[in-house]
Amino acid sequence: MHCVRKVTEDLWWVGADDRRTALFENIHPIPDGVSYNSYLLLDEKTVLFDCVDWSAAPRLVENVEHLLNGRGLDYIVLHHLEPDHGAGLWAVLQKWPDAAVISSLAAQRFMDQFGFAPVQAERVVAKEGESISFGKHSLTFYAAPMVHWPDVMVSCLEPGGVLFTADAFGTFGALNGKLFNDESDFEHTRLSEARRYYTNIVGKYGPQVQALLAKVKGLDVKLLCPLHGPVWRSNADWFLGKYDLWSRYQPEEKGALVVYGSMYGGTELSAEALCAALTERGVETALYDVSSTHVSKLIAESFRYSHIVLASVTYNMDFYPPMRDYLEDMKALGLKGRTFALMENGTWAPAAGKLMGEFITGELGGTVLEPKVTIRSTLKADQAGELAALADTVAASVKG
Ligand SMILES: Cc1cc2nc3c(=O)[nH]c(=O)nc-3n(C[C@H](O)[C@H](O)[C@H](O)COP(=O)(O)O)c2cc1C
Ligand SMILES: [Fe+2]
Ligand SMILES: [Fe+2]
């Protein structure tokens, strides 16, 4: 049975939800699933925009077959050749071998490297600013290199102002039948997963996303059609605003993310006490255990907040290994401009604070507020003043 949704008079969503894959890219948990979006234009020519993951290819083929209703498929436009959108090409070309494949030159190369298209498939290279007519509609291509991979392009379909945005403006989470952004309460049900998607998948490529946003500004866009998650037909400026902040590494909220690493609970309780003190001072906080929170969530929250408090045990004269994984990930994704505060624990020679501070200033280009709090196994009642002073310092910086 097909499952399609109408996007405009001539354009249909023909993709598929995936609720079975546990880890996106075999790294990031997707407890709410993910969608692989494809779209089909029925004009004088018939055009499929992007394919889906291999696992969803039978559903794509069934959806397209249903809507074509006996017509042939003239073109397949591939905006991005990563296998979550390119692998389904093989199945589509088995069914419609005469379809011409339109993509960037880099995507053609990747197509061959992955083996997604038989050599005899007809290919058209899409170039920056070039247009192709499909009848009533024409499509113009814009390169968006490294808005996830080097092959990425976006395209704008007119009339209608439909922008196919590849991995940009995507969201983790299956659609569950709700194709459009305003068919669910996006801010409260999807934003945190959209943030986790952006920051971990595309987060490293802020300057490239800025370049794409500049191109989008010059177009009269009415619909954003990404490869994952809802189609934006209203309030898109709000979401573009989030992308603008994320890609400039600017926080969305003034507040303190508190991440602790603790084996026996002493550091944990200290971090909790700091959160209580910050809350009393009117500071928005979020508290996470570095050991039990997936690093993709920590990264998303790090993009979100202006301040980050790290509380770590000393572990074999280093800071806690899961804390290092988190900070290394932050470095790899290029997150900049955060202000940090530190709490360290050590039973015989506390060193975590100094070492985290060196990592932050040396590797992350971050700022560290002083002084840090040192805990010897457990925070003592006579350290209440130190804790209050740290809370005052963080609160003043957050509000400043
Ligand atoms: C495997 C291991 C290695 C540790 N290495 C050090 C260390 O090098 N220096 C130190 O002062 N404390 C060290 N500690 C003690 C912890 O840093 C910390 O003081 C203790 O775990 C209490 O904090 P918690 O209740 O938050 O786990 C180590 C503890 C463990 C279990
Ligand atoms: Fe991708
Ligand atoms: Fe993707």
Side-chain angles (χ1 to χ4, degrees), residues 324 327-328 330-332 335 357-366:
R324 186 170 284 283
L327 295 190
E328 287 286 357
M330 215 188 281
K331 178 185 161 191
L335 179 60
E358 284 169 3
F359 192 97
I360 290 161
T361 50
E363 306 285 339
L364 301 178

Side-chain angles (χ1 to χ4, degrees), residues 75 100-105 108 122-126 130 132 141:
Y75 293 105
V101 180
I102 305 175
S103 73
S104 68
L105 193 59
Q108 288 203 4
E122 189 187 337
R123 298 171 186 206
V124 179
V125 176
E130 277 186 5
I132 180 168
F141 303 103

Side-chain angles (χ1 to χ4, degrees), residues 80 82 84-85 148-149 167:
H80 178 26
E82 192 169 2
D84 57 335
H85 314 292
H148 191 212
W149 277 23
D167 271 343

Side-chain angles (χ1 to χ4, degrees), residues 232-243:
W232 285 82
R233 67 177 173 190
S234 58
N235 212 17
D237 282 347
W238 172 81
F239 200 44
L240 290 170
K242 293 286 182 198
Y243 260 68

Side-chain angles (χ1 to χ4, degrees), residues 24-25 80-85 147-149 151-152 166-168 197 201-202 227-228:
F24 190 80
E25 294 180 350
H80 178 26
L81 219 276
E82 192 169 2
D84 57 335
H85 314 292
V147 181
H148 191 212
W149 277 23
D151 61 312
V152 172
D167 271 343
Y197 169 86
I201 306 298
V202 195
L227 289 176
H228 304 283

Side-chain angles (χ1 to χ4, degrees), residues 258-262 267 271 309-313 323 341-344 356:
V258 182
V259 180
Y260 67 85
S262 175
T267 315
V309 182
L310 303 177
S312 175
V313 292
M323 190 67 90
L342 300 173
M343 300 172 82
E344 64 176 351
M356 288 192 295

